[in-house]
């Protein structure tokens, strides 16, 4: 079961059969979801003037908006990424294992490198880059520290948890 999927100019979203799109999410246009990815309740993913790509086991939590800019600014989200509740992800890149805390905003051409984290309520301005395993907080976001391997491993448990939880939601809706 997948939530509402809508075409834009004849281009339909491509959803991997194991991915979960909640029934109240809207996925529009040139959007691709990878294996075991999940898009939760109330999300809007609008791939109209460019594309959105979301990798395997990535979770886009409730109320998040993902959009693009025309031309050279798609939204590219890697594998095992967590995007918390009520985020705005706009025309940026989130590499594998990136983590975006609840209510955070990532703007045009910004990058969160592998394992990087933007804390809850953070604002990553256009063109800024969070490095590997770095923790950034605030609005505008600033580097706080590089996370230890142990700390980062704790956050890495979120993506597999959501992949399993999405299967339970899918089963309860069928």
């Amino acid at each position: 079961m997948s939530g509402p999927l809508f075409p834009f100019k004849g281009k339909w979203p491509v959803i991997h059969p194991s991915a979960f799109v909640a029934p109240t999410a809207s996925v529009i246009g040139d959007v691709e979801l990878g294996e075991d990815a999940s898009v939760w309740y109330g999300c809007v993913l609008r791939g109209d003037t460019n594309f959105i790509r979301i990798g395997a086991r990535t979770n886009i939590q409730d109320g998040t908006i993902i959009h693009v800019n025309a031309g050279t600014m798609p939204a590219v989200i890697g594998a095992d990424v967590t995007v918390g509740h009520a985020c705005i992800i706009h025309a940026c890149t989130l590499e594998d294992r990136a983590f975006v805390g609840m209510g955070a905003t990532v703007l045009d051409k910004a990058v969160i490198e592998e394992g990087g984290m933007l804390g809850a309520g953070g604002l990553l301005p256009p063109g800024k880059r969070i490095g590997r395993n770095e923790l950034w907080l605030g609005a505008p976001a600033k580097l706080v520290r590089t996370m230890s391997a142990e700390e980062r491993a704790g956050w890495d448990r979120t993506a597999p948890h959501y992949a399993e939880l999405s299967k339970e939601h899918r089963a309860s809706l069928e």
Side-chain angles (χ1 to χ4, degrees):
M1 168 180 251
S2 282
L5 307 177
F6 302 101
F8 183 78
K9 294 186 175 179
K11 181 78 174 176
W12 282 87
V14 176
I15 310 299
H16 189 279
S18 67
F20 171 72
V21 178
T24 58
S26 297
V27 181
I28 303 143
D30 192 357
V31 178
E32 292 183 13
L33 294 182
E35 181 179 0
D36 290 330
S38 56
V39 177
W40 292 83
Y41 303 90
C43 290
V44 176
L45 283 63
R46 184 159 51 98
D48 52 4
T49 61
N50 213 313
F51 62 88
I52 298 170
R53 298 294 179 265
I54 297 175
R57 297 167 306 282
T58 287
N59 61 96
I60 309 300
Q61 295 177 18
D62 313 71
T64 289
I65 297 168
I66 301 177
H67 192 229
V68 296
N69 266 343
T72 61
M73 287 192 261
V76 178
I77 301 173
D80 301 303
V81 172
T82 292
V83 177
H85 309 291
C87 292
I88 297 173
I89 306 299
H90 199 271
C92 60
T93 299
L94 309 178
E95 294 181 359
D96 295 349
R97 299 175 46 247
F99 194 107
V100 180
M102 293 183 279
T105 300
V106 183
L107 294 176
D108 301 19
K109 293 189 177 179
V111 175
I112 300 179
E113 292 181 13
E114 183 171 352
M117 182 175 186
L118 176 61
L123 170 64
L124 192 62
K128 287 288 188 179
R129 178 178 289 266
I130 293 177
R132 290 176 63 100
N133 301 319
E134 290 180 350
L135 171 62
W136 288 45
L137 300 172
K142 293 185 173 36
L143 174 64
V144 173
R145 68 177 182 279
T146 299
M147 292 179 282
S148 69
E150 181 179 39
E151 180 182 15
R152 185 53 224 171
W155 293 110
D156 284 340
R157 290 192 290 271
T158 305
H161 165 73
Y162 268 87
E164 286 304 312
L165 185 60
S166 71
K167 291 174 183 159
E168 293 174 28
H169 275 260
R170 179 196 301 268
S172 73
L173 292 168
E174 291 177 346

